[in-house]
Amino acid sequence: MEKFVITGGKPLHGEVTISGAKNAAVAILPATILAEGVCVIENLPNISDVSVSLNILSVLGARVRMLSKNTYEIDTTHLVGTNVPDELSRQTRASNYFLGALLARFGRAQVAMPGGCNLGSRPIDQHLKAFCALGAQDSVDYGMITVRAKEELSGARIFFDKVSVGSTMNAMLAAVRAKGQTVLENCAKEPHVVDLANFLNMCGADVRGAGTDVIKVRGVESMHGCTYSIIPDQIEAGSYMVAAAATGGDVLIKNVTPKHLEPITAKLRRAGAEIEEFDDAVRVRRTGPILPLKINTMPHPGFPTDMQPLMGVLLSVAQGTSTVTEGIWDNRFRYVDELRKMGANVQVDGQVAVFEGVEQLQPAPLRASDLRAGAAMVVAALIAHGTSEIEEISHIERGYEDIVQKLQGLGADIRKVERQPAALSQAL
Ligand code: EPU
């Protein structure tokens, strides 16, 4: 029952430090199961999707100890279960990574059909195809997915019909301890795929080629714990880059890998932002007008779908007509309804949205319909002159650590307040 109250119209200024990558963390945490020992994971973002994954590990019998806000020690030597409780699996899409990790270690796993953002249909056929190729069978019963190895898992050649981050990572997890070599083709190349491979290799696995579309995994008999630091979050960094550009601010965004930001940097430069790259930081400034763009979202290294709603906000106040084509998810323009409440002029036809830039956005009562749509609403509220309120912020807190404090540090007028229950607020 909490909401954000944001008074916009002020350019953001100052420095912000980016947290560890959510989409790497939620795969690396289940991967600690394969280490069968003690792992220390550093730079873990303090967000609810990570807490859910840590809770799942605890329930399965791992010893989870917080060493600091962003560092956890996880001992997976003695696990007691292979079933992820229903209510935990449904809280995050990433619970499906427990399928690959538990299958590889115990030959069996059960997870409920995962939750997460509603971006349209989110099948897991490619995950299951990979498990089956390695020698498992699957069944779905009353919303629970069970995978079971028929005998020992053994290496296989797997061609993904779709480029999929989740299937690539789940197949890697399942294959690292299988007998012989697995060759994965048409793989996703996102930075978090590479991060998972690096973590697995630090634990004694033999994974080569991550970051290209062919990944070769030679199965090893045993693995061990390690200390590992998660990469910076590409999308959190991109979100602050857009916020800086949209508000006409000047922000130094620290703890980033500029290479991972290239598709975002290139588009923001075309939109009129000035971007300076340093070893592990980028500075984003904008003084001139926002120029219109054409954007097509694609798998890495294309323009990331997770940045699409944020760029949509920027383009809603560009000088001219922009076109955004969503190439990954079939339902990722739901935020447009909220933007229209603010006076944006956007037409959506299937997977294409056309933005006719308007001079200004007006404040409005807003809703975070999913994680990135929620972040987009925050940026929209930051540029609108006046006070907007955003509800359903739990979606935003699934993926952005300390967003209120970080934005306040940049001079934004943002507060998190308790929302009055409807009956009570009417009575007052
Ligand atoms: N797909 C299939 N079959 C499958 C798996 C995927 O057809 O078995 C399709 C999907 O329907 C989609 C496309 O393949 O059209 C790509 O899906 P992918 O598997 O890559 O997505 P994901 O692993 O479920 C991750 C991120 C998403 C991000 C996508 C694309 C995590 C936990 N989630 O999802 O992040 O949008 O990759 O980059 O890593 C977010 O962080 O806001 C978010 C939604």
Side-chain angles (χ1 to χ4, degrees):
M1 295 299 259
E2 289 171 321
K3 62 183 177 183
F4 289 158
V5 179
I6 300 175
T7 304
K10 285 208 289 183
L12 298 184
H13 281 282
E15 298 183 358
V16 62
T17 302
I18 296 307
S19 302
K22 166 180 90 77
N23 290 347
V26 295
I28 287 173
L29 289 174
T32 61
I33 290 174
L34 294 162
E36 215 168 337
V38 180
C39 294
V40 174
I41 310 295
E42 300 169 343
N43 205 29
L44 262 181
N46 185 17
I47 51 175
S48 57
D49 267 14
V50 162
S51 315
V52 174
S53 300
L54 290 169
N55 284 344
I56 294 175
L57 283 168
S58 296
V59 168
L60 294 175
R63 197 175 50 75
V64 176
R65 205 155 65 94
M66 182 173 154
L67 302 183
S68 71
K69 183 181 169 202
N70 300 107
T71 304
Y72 279 75
E73 182 186 80
I74 299 156
D75 182 355
T76 59
T77 314
H78 306 291
L79 291 197
V80 289
T82 55
N83 292 7
V84 177
D86 197 353
E87 67 282 4
L88 284 175
S89 8
R90 289 187 202 283
Q91 285 176 31
T92 166
R93 173 90 194 150
S95 55
N96 64 34
Y97 292 130
F98 283 92
L99 281 175
L102 288 166
L103 176 67
R105 176 152 165 203
F106 298 109
R108 186 180 190 289
Q110 191 178 68
V111 172
M113 275 314 251
C117 287
N118 176 10
L119 309 173
S121 124
R122 296 188 76 169
I124 58 160
D125 57 301
Q126 298 300 305
H127 303 234
L128 298 178
K129 169 178 155 170
F131 299 151
C132 292
L134 294 168
Q137 57 191 19
D138 65 85
S139 57
V140 181
D141 187 23
Y142 211 65
M144 301 299 288
I145 311 160
T146 306
V147 288
R148 208 183 299 254
K150 286 184 268 184
E151 293 162 17
E152 201 181 357
L153 294 182
S154 31
R157 204 175 187 95
I158 298 158
F159 185 92
F160 295 110
D161 304 329
K162 254 215 125 145
V163 178
S164 150
V165 171
S167 332
T168 302
M169 305 234 260
N170 234 340
M172 271 162 56
L173 292 169
V176 281
R177 286 172 64 163
K179 208 161 155 228
Q181 181 170 264
T182 296
V183 180
L184 306 174
E185 293 182 80
N186 199 24
C187 293
K189 301 189 278 255
E190 269 68 1
H192 28 290
V193 174
V194 179
D195 209 34
L196 174 64
N198 288 341
F199 168 75
L200 291 169
N201 287 340
M202 288 274 281
C203 296
D206 184 352
V207 180
R208 297 170 198 209
T212 75
D213 50 16
V214 180
I215 298 178
K216 293 186 179 165
V217 183
R218 194 168 285 283
V220 294
E221 288 207 345
S222 64
M223 291 169 62
H224 50 76
C226 72
T227 296
Y228 193 79
S229 182
I230 297 205
I231 53 166
D233 196 302
Q234 174 201 27
I235 306 300
E236 189 199 11
S239 305
Y240 284 98
M241 291 170 78
V242 170
T247 59
D250 182 352
V251 178
L252 183 68
I253 299 159
K254 301 196 301 190
N255 186 35
V256 303
T257 305
K259 177 86 193 149
H260 296 164
L261 301 174
E262 274 173 3
I264 304 165
T265 303
K267 285 294 176 195
L268 284 177
R269 279 190 176 135
R270 281 190 171 215
E274 286 168 58
I275 302 182
E276 260 181 283
E277 295 178 359
F278 304 95
D279 286 346
D280 60 357
V282 289
R283 179 178 176 191
V284 180
R285 274 179 289 185
R286 182 182 62 82
T287 46
I290 299 171
L291 306 173
L293 294 176
K294 256 200 171 78
I295 293 180
N296 290 280
T297 68
M298 280 181 229
H300 191 78
F303 190 84
T305 171
D306 295 343
M307 287 299 301
Q308 186 264 103
L310 289 130
M311 289 300 272
V313 171
L314 182 78
L315 298 178
S316 69
V317 288
Q319 286 192 353
T321 309
S322 303
T323 314
V324 176
T325 306
E326 172 55 47
I328 308 290
W329 300 115
D330 50 25
N331 191 14
R332 211 167 200 175
F333 285 125
R334 288 193 304 159
Y335 69 96
V336 162
D337 289 337
E338 302 300 295
L339 267 187
R340 287 198 188 109
K341 288 191 207 162
M342 306 179 85
N345 182 356
V346 193
Q347 302 306 319
V348 179
D349 184 6
Q351 294 302 94
V352 182
V354 178
F355 291 77
E356 289 294 345
V358 295
E359 193 111 321
Q360 259 193 17
L361 293 182
Q362 307 306 320
L366 302 168
R367 217 185 115 240
S369 54
D370 63 60
L371 167 60
R372 306 304 172 187
M377 288 310 104
V378 171
V379 175
L382 288 172
I383 56 179
H385 288 254
T387 302
S388 301
E389 297 191 350
I390 306 176
E391 296 194 345
E392 297 185 36
I393 59 171
S394 59
H395 286 296
I396 303 173
E397 292 177 333
R398 282 186 35 226
Y400 289 87
E401 176 172 339
D402 294 339
I403 187 167
V404 170
Q405 292 84 337
K406 288 185 185 185
L407 285 170
Q408 284 172 343
L410 295 173
D413 185 345
I414 173 170
R415 285 175 300 132
K416 180 165 142 176
V417 299
E418 199 68 32
R419 194 166 74 87
Q420 304 279 359
L424 184 58
S425 57
Q426 272 163 24
L428 289 176

